[in-house]
């Protein structure tokens, strides 16, 4: 049984066009690393590039590097490289800050746009855009020292106020915390909704929906085109969190008319621990993007040192403070692994890997010991497999001891991330085999799936 | 004349106990680098440490490094190292995000505390704390999906609302932009006030004052103890921006009872381009620190993945998203240059350097060609000298060509930063001499000071 699947894995690896990409990463054959959905492996391109940045650009050129080494424009330049992988044409993605901070920018800006209504006719497609938002988007010129305070949610007449933020109820927690803060600061109400119900929940009071593209716990892929269209039809805006999809599958932001998106770069994009996140603002919304974090880097003339804020055009409007150059250029170097790689091929391999892993688990693991919480339908699956297992914590500790690195999510989930650029079918087979061994031997606390 | 000052410089350098610290930096003798108040020079300790972080901690240990390499707790650990240099006892400084983002956290949190009034009796010393803030600080438990919107600034009865944010009118622009955003989101009014008048401007409506410790343009040092005491006496809170003082002079945050402080680490702290900033929250205010950016890293149990937000205790409450490890550990390594260095000695040398430079300028430069806008009184001077010069842009270009690197601030300021850890008296003499040569020869656009 084991020999048969191992032989099949060898055949699949031999036929895999992406297999050669693994050489671009620092990996050893002792370990099966299935935690790239948490921290991507190190690309070989990073260390020499960072040495150059540190010793030559910082050490020798010093301040001149802001111009001469292209540091100042790196957030947009690297943003465009990320953009290619998530279906965004150049000029719409900027890299910087954390995912949480970018969620805050996007949600507050989306509320402001939704409350201002469909000015200039550029409202969401097919939407019943509330025309009577009481407050126009406050322009950059509103800098006389008297802001007059908070945007009132009330609207004159009988047009309902857009004062509700919908959030994916199964979201990675930080999105929910930040959305709640955004609601509090903009006078909105936050309503958690299961992601499958967001399309139907969006209504005339909805300002924005914040949704995860892939659920971090179950690996479930949500319907980005359908939810986006439904939220637009309700006259609202949508913010997608791409942390668990970017670099794993095609996202198609432009193609599906997404308004805003955010994501980290340290998972499938391999940017390194805590590498800077990104913000996508669709081109047609950029002129109305009214950031709650208008730092000097988003000023139209940052070195003019003006007391009044005039926002930059384009993606730079999403910047805040001085970009974190070392981490940003580490990410830039890390993105070299994508040279010549098409995301559609990555997706095909990802599905083949997770299919194969599930088959191996089904074949090797004693019946009833684990249950997959990851959907079997391809259209609903990201690039990880999550298995419920009552003693998951102890099982993962033992797996890691035996060289199979996934992670444990409380209370009872084993997560295995499949990163097609460096994970092979033999890795999947080995992981399932070692998992079966651990489960068969018992961890001292093993039980059936509850 | 020139020989005399050059000889004096040599004697001063020979007697300088800090002169040996220069060897800890990557510097050459061709250049006089006087832009360390913009981007600090590279410490030798950074490159090897980053190689280790990249190749071993990320490349080999990968996800395990969050625990085993101490990544997770690095924001507080490095924060304590910064804290030593700004007079903060351990547990009050956290490193992460940009200065702008930290200004936002501090100002909004300060407004919330000021509006809540002096609950638990821990109000500012000597202050007439408004007891009747209409809204208590919303605790972490307020997570039922209905936040009820914005904190109303109105207060029942005759106690005036604290609905005013004072900002240093000469601030580095980003602080003003962010403070304006904070005002807009919290229902406050922003009032720019010359820093010398903040002490008298603070009144019963003031929630918080945001002040730069050293003016980025003129190098003027503001009266941190006096302004802090005056703002407290008015019952308000103060946020200090230390970008241009941290690492250049003693700040004494704890000693002077400062509420909040923020600052960057890439100037006198030499953390590298865009290295992460820091946030100081005085220990007694931490339990009431109600962040507008409550990311998962500031949760009491970040890996509990709870839908409800419960803030962490201590400095970690100021965190937001995943820390940017490469940049953070570059800063950590850079801080090694401070081993055995006392900030009081740095301050003494800084004043001696700027005194000496001003003397050299006075002796060498043709009368009327430049005018110092940096105060002569030691108590009012930071660690830079700013000279007005009508053709400053062209002059700085030529200075840089001749190996004297300062910077130009529009429209007519030459800035020369003196970083006592690696700048010597001979550097100051040479800079003044080359400046005099350039000014004597003319740049083609030279005029007298207007």
């Amino acid at each position: 049984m084991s020999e048969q699947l191992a032989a099949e894995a060898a055949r699949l690896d031999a036929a895999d066009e992406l297999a050669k990409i693994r050489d671009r990463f620092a990996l050893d054959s002792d370990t099966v690393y299935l935690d790239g959905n948490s921290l991507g492996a190190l690309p070989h391109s990073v260390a020499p590039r960072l040495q150059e940045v540190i010793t030559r650009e910082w050490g020798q050129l010093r301040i001149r590097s802001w111009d001469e080494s292209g540091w100042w424009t790196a957030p947009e330049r690297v943003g465009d490289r990320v953009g290619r992988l998530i279906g965004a044409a150049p000029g719409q993605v900027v890299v910087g800050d954390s995912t949480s901070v970018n969620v805050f920018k996007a949600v507050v800006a989306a509320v402001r746009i939704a409350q201002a209504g469909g000015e200039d006719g550029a409202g969401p497609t097919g939407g019943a855009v509330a025309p009577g938002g009481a407050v126009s988007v406050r322009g950059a010129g509103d800098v006389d020292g008297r802001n007059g305070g908070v945007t009132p949610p009330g609207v004159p007449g009988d047009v309902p106020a857009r004062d509700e933020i919908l959030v994916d109820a199964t979201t990675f927690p930080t999105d929910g915390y930040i959305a709640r803060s955004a609601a509090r600061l903009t006078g909105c109400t936050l309503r958690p909704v299961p992601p499958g119900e967001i399309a139907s929940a969006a209504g005339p009071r909805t300002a924005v929906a914040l949704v995860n593209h892939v659920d971090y716990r179950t690996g479930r892929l949500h319907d980005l085109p359908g939810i986006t269209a439904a939220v637009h039809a309700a006259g609202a805006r949508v913010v997608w969190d791409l942390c668990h999809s970017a670099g794993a599958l095609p996202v198609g932001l432009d193609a599906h008319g997404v308004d805003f998106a955010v994501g980290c770069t340290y998972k499938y994009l391999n940017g390194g621990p805590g590498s800077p996140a990104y913000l996508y603002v669709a081109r047609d919304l950029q002129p109305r993007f009214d950031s709650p974090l208008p730092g000097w880097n988003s000023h139209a003339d940052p070195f003019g040192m003006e007391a009044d804020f005039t926002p930059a055009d384009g993606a730079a409007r999403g910047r805040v403070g001085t970009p974190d150059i070392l981490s940003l250029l580490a990410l830039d170097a890390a993105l070299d692994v994508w040279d010549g790689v098409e995301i559609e091929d990555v997706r095909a391999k990802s599905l083949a890997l997770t299919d194969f892993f599930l088959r191996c688990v089904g074949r090797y693991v004693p019946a009833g010991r684990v249950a997959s919480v990851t959907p079997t339908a391809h259209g609903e699956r990201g690039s990880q497999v999550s298995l419920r297992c009552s003693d998951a914590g102890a099982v993962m500790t033992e797996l890691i001891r035996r060289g199979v690195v996934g992670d444990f999510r409380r209370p009872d989930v084993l997560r295995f991330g499949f990163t097609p650029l460096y994970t092979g079918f033999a890795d999947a087979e080995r992981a399932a085999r070692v998992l079966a061994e651990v489960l068969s031997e018992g961890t001292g606390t093993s039980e059936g799936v509850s």
Side-chain angles (χ1 to χ4, degrees), chain A:
Chain A
M1 186 175 80
S2 175
E3 288 73 11
Q4 195 182 23
L5 285 169
E8 183 177 345
R11 284 195 304 275
L12 289 165
D13 282 328
D16 174 21
E17 285 292 324
L18 290 177
K20 62 183 185 295
I21 307 293
R22 181 183 164 98
D23 290 343
R24 300 181 183 179
F25 291 87
L27 290 163
D28 57 74
S29 54
D30 296 341
T31 303
V32 176
Y33 188 64
L34 299 179
D35 213 5
N37 55 329
S38 184
L39 175 65
L42 169 67
H44 286 305
S45 47
V46 173
R49 174 69 181 124
L50 255 283
Q51 280 303 102
E52 183 189 28
V53 171
I54 292 171
T55 58
R56 193 180 70 82
E57 297 184 5
W58 174 13
Q60 293 172 20
L61 300 180
R62 288 184 285 266
I63 199 72
R64 292 162 49 191
S65 277
W66 283 108
D67 286 329
E68 294 179 26
S69 304
W71 288 355
W72 186 262
T73 53
E76 291 85 37
R77 186 169 49 76
V78 181
D80 284 344
R81 297 189 76 185
V82 172
R84 178 178 85 83
L85 301 172
I86 55 179
Q92 301 174 101
V93 177
V94 67
V95 174
D97 303 309
S98 64
T99 304
S100 300
V101 169
N102 283 305
V103 166
F104 185 74
K105 297 177 205 168
V107 170
V108 172
V111 166
R112 288 171 172 173
I113 287 174
Q115 289 184 345
E119 63 183 48
D120 78 21
T125 315
V129 177
V135 178
S136 65
V137 172
R138 285 161 190 275
D142 180 22
V143 284
D144 61 355
R146 299 271 164 184
N147 283 291
V150 174
T151 306
V155 165
D158 55 0
V159 180
R162 292 201 176 269
D163 60 357
E164 178 185 74
I165 298 172
L166 301 182
V167 64
D168 168 358
T170 56
T171 183
F172 185 79
T174 209
D175 300 56
Y177 307 155
I178 294 289
R180 189 172 310 279
S181 175
R184 175 179 170 188
L185 287 164
T186 57
C188 286
T189 295
L190 184 71
R191 181 152 69 104
V193 174
E197 298 171 20
I198 285 190
S200 55
R205 296 193 77 97
T206 306
V208 57
L210 169 63
V211 200
N212 287 247
H213 196 193
V214 172
D215 185 287
Y216 77 101
R217 188 189 296 266
T218 63
R220 178 180 289 274
L221 172 65
H222 297 131
D223 176 14
L224 183 142
I227 293 173
T228 299
V231 171
H232 283 179
R237 301 292 175 174
V238 64
V239 178
W240 283 97
D241 181 332
L242 309 179
C243 282
H244 287 269
S245 62
L249 50 91
V251 177
L253 292 176
D254 289 348
H256 302 303
V258 167
D259 302 307
F260 304 97
V262 301
C264 75
T265 62
Y266 46 77
K267 298 180 187 290
Y268 298 98
L269 298 178
N270 314 299
S275 55
Y278 56 87
L279 171 69
Y280 164 89
V281 180
R283 193 180 307 281
D284 67 321
L285 293 178
Q286 288 173 351
R288 290 186 278 161
F289 183 78
D290 184 14
S291 176
L293 294 171
W296 75 293
N297 268 237
S298 60
H299 196 284
D301 181 15
F303 293 95
M305 301 289 159
E306 297 168 9
D308 291 349
F309 184 74
T310 306
D313 289 333
R317 192 175 287 203
R319 289 172 66 161
V320 186
T322 306
D324 200 334
I325 294 300
L326 300 190
S327 291
L328 182 56
L329 296 185
L331 167 62
D332 192 23
L335 291 172
D336 290 352
V337 298
W338 293 93
D339 288 353
V341 174
E342 295 302 326
I343 196 73
E344 290 75 14
D345 296 332
V346 169
R347 175 60 169 167
K349 180 175 173 185
S350 162
L351 289 171
L353 278 169
T354 50
D355 275 344
F356 184 68
F357 177 70
L358 284 167
R359 273 178 58 212
C360 292
V361 168
R363 209 77 84 76
Y364 294 164
V365 171
R369 269 307 261 120
V370 300
S372 174
V373 295
T374 301
T376 51
H378 283 182
E380 298 176 5
R381 190 195 304 162
S383 199
Q384 73 183 54
V385 171
S386 298
L387 302 177
R388 285 185 66 210
C389 173
S390 59
D391 49 345
V395 168
M396 185 51 73
T397 300
E398 184 59 21
L399 279 174
I400 291 170
R401 205 184 63 77
R402 298 186 191 192
V404 175
V405 179
D407 66 21
F408 163 54
R409 282 290 173 255
R410 297 185 215 164
D412 60 357
V413 169
L414 300 168
R415 289 200 318 178
F416 301 95
F418 290 85
T419 46
L421 297 191
Y422 55 81
T423 303
F425 294 88
D427 295 322
E429 191 273 342
R430 178 176 154 198
R433 183 160 34 84
V434 175
L435 173 64
E437 288 166 10
V438 170
L439 292 171
S440 300
E441 295 166 16
T443 60
T445 58
S446 66
E447 303 165 28
V449 176
S450 59

